[in-house]
């Protein structure tokens, strides 16, 4: 929480800076119109928009929700994979989401045109697109949601049994069910509310590209995916606390030696240290059984306070 890895940190910073620039320049230049992803048959479409659109956002809540999810899940995934693999995965999921959105818009455009001209062919479709260029330029997609949904999928596949608390559920659910529920909701919304202004198929596209990449990495061990990367991440957390426990044990033995040599014993201090260590051991065992997110706010604060006393 307090040590965001560099790629996740830089992505957060870039997205916030770009959003602030959009607010400052909106009267003179609409950055969402320039860098947002336009429909590929629109005259304002450019290839670079497949990369730039994922750093643009339509409003503060759009930005906040995406960045909160990126911070919450991206920190863990980047710590497991490393910065290079994480960045490649994030960008690839964003581009994949953009491709899915372009396909969805093409189908939508074809359906609308076919209603006016039954049996319309590709050549006639291009003519209709040219005649409606101004309207098609408004078909613009912005947001990091596609890439972020890919990160959600990665977290669920790396830590399928990890229990997490997600609003509005009043109880922790396993990460794999969380991902399945989110994907199901996106499918349902895409089918039931096609004109709600949300790029549901782009979200699914980010997850689809993420799934294909993870499946490929799992079947090719040389790529460095690491089937046990998630376990290693939490094991390293536990190892750091065990090292701290060993130092505390050594200090207690040293105190005991000094007391036996004639120094004044501090029984209250030793009792307090023993109680603190027993509490830390209990929390570490809970992390091992149910994962870090199963801890209460007070337990997390206890670990944080203990780490600061190293």
């Amino acid at each position: 929480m307090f040590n965001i890895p560099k790629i996740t940190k830089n992505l957060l910073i870039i997205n916030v800076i770009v959003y602030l620039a959009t607010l400052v320049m909106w009267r003179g230049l609409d950055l969402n119109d320039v860098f947002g992803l336009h429909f590929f048959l629109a005259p304002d479409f450019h290839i670079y928009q497949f990369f730039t659109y994922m750093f643009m956002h339509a409003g503060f809540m759009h930005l906040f929700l995406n960045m909160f999810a990126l911070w919450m899940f991206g920190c863990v995934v980047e710590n497991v994979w490393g910065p290079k693999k994480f960045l490649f995965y994030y960008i690839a999921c964003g581009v994949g989401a953009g491709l899915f959105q372009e396909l969805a818009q093409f189908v939508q455009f074809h359906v609308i045109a076919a209603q006016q001209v039954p049996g319309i062919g590709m050549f006639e479709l291009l003519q209709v697109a040219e005649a409606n260029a101004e309207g098609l330029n408004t078909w613009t997609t912005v947001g990091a949601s596609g890439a972020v949904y890919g990160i959600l999928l990665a977290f669920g596949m790396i830590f399928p049994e990890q229990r997490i608390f997600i609003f509005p559920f009043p109880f922790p659910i396993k990460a794999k069910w969380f991902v399945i529920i989110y994907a199901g909701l996106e499918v349902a919304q895409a089918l039931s509310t096609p004109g709600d202004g949300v790029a549901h198929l782009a979200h699914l596209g980010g997850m689809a590209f993420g799934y294909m990449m993870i499946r490929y990495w799992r079947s090719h061990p040389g790529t460095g995916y690491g089937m046990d990367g998630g376990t290693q991440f939490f094991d390293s957390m536990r190892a750091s606390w065990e090292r701290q426990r060993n130092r505390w044990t050594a200090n207690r033995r040293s105190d005991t030696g000094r007391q036996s040599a004639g120094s004044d014993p501090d029984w209250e201090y030793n009792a307090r240290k023993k109680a603190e260590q027993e509490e830390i051991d209990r929390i570490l065992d809970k992390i091992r059984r149910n994962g870090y997110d199963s801890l209460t706010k007070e337990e997390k604060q206890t670990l944080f306070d203990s780490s600061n006393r190293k």
Side-chain angles (χ1 to χ4, degrees):
M1 180 181 299
F2 301 98
N3 186 21
I4 303 177
K6 64 179 181 179
I7 297 299
T8 302
K9 180 190 297 182
N10 288 331
L11 287 173
L12 293 171
I13 293 173
I14 292 171
N15 276 275
V16 171
I17 290 176
V18 171
Y19 177 70
L20 294 176
T22 302
L23 295 180
V24 171
M25 301 181 64
W26 74 275
R27 290 184 180 275
L29 179 64
D30 186 352
L31 295 183
N32 280 341
D33 186 56
V34 175
F35 297 110
L37 179 60
H38 289 271
F39 180 40
F40 71 93
L41 292 180
D44 286 349
F45 167 76
H46 299 282
I47 291 293
Y48 68 78
Q49 293 168 354
F50 277 111
F51 298 92
T52 57
Y53 89 97
M54 66 185 80
F55 297 98
M56 316 303 299
H57 287 86
F60 174 77
M61 286 306 300
H62 189 203
L63 172 73
F64 174 79
L65 292 175
N66 278 338
M67 295 302 99
F68 179 79
L70 174 59
W71 165 75
M72 184 174 182
F73 298 101
C75 290
V76 180
V77 176
E78 183 179 349
N79 277 325
V80 173
W81 281 349
K84 291 182 179 179
K85 184 179 288 290
F86 177 79
L87 179 60
F88 174 81
Y89 179 87
Y90 182 90
I91 297 297
C93 286
V95 172
L99 292 173
F100 264 65
Q101 179 66 3
E102 291 291 324
L103 177 61
Q105 289 179 334
F106 177 76
V107 172
Q108 180 183 0
F109 177 64
H110 186 273
V111 169
I112 294 173
Q115 291 174 348
Q116 305 299 321
V117 185
I120 188 172
M122 180 58 69
F123 180 74
E124 292 83 4
L125 193 65
L126 294 177
Q127 289 181 320
V128 173
E130 184 177 357
N132 294 273
E134 184 175 349
L136 291 181
N137 273 333
T138 64
W139 289 18
T140 308
T141 304
V142 295
S145 300
V148 169
Y149 268 71
I151 298 299
L152 298 184
L153 177 86
F155 183 88
M157 294 184 71
I158 298 172
F159 307 99
E161 303 300 321
Q162 187 72 23
R163 296 181 181 274
I164 55 178
F165 283 94
I166 297 294
F167 180 83
F169 299 105
F171 51 84
I173 62 173
K174 292 184 178 181
K176 61 183 179 182
W177 298 120
F178 160 71
V179 172
I180 291 173
I181 291 172
Y182 252 61
L185 288 174
E186 286 299 318
V187 172
Q189 290 178 315
L191 296 176
S192 61
T193 56
D196 62 352
V198 179
H200 299 292
L201 289 179
H203 301 168
L204 294 172
M207 299 181 84
F209 266 70
Y211 178 80
M212 289 186 290
M213 280 188 288
I214 292 175
R215 291 285 296 179
Y216 175 81
W217 289 337
R218 283 184 170 180
S219 61
H220 295 76
T223 58
Y225 171 79
M227 291 289 288
D228 59 347
T231 303
Q232 292 176 356
F233 174 76
F234 285 106
D235 283 347
S236 64
M237 179 189 297
R238 181 177 179 84
S240 66
W241 289 109
E242 288 177 345
R243 288 194 296 270
Q244 174 66 15
R245 181 181 60 185
N246 292 335
R247 284 196 290 268
W248 284 341
T249 301
N251 289 337
R252 287 204 303 270
R253 290 175 178 173
S254 177
D255 292 341
T256 302
R258 287 194 298 268
Q259 291 165 13
S260 62
S263 60
D264 294 332
D266 189 349
W267 299 110
E268 292 184 1
Y269 173 83
N270 290 334
R272 178 168 56 84
K273 282 295 184 181
K274 181 179 180 181
E276 289 176 354
Q277 185 56 52
E278 290 175 350
E279 176 65 7
I280 292 297
D281 290 342
R282 184 190 66 79
I283 295 174
L284 292 175
D285 288 338
K286 187 175 181 180
I287 292 176
R288 170 66 82 179
R289 292 194 309 270
N290 302 317
Y292 178 78
D293 287 322
S294 67
L295 301 183
T296 64
K297 180 179 179 180
E298 291 74 15
E299 290 170 335
K300 292 178 181 178
Q301 187 63 43
T302 298
L303 283 181
F304 177 69
D305 292 340
S306 298
S307 66
N308 286 339
R309 291 196 294 267
K310 291 181 180 180

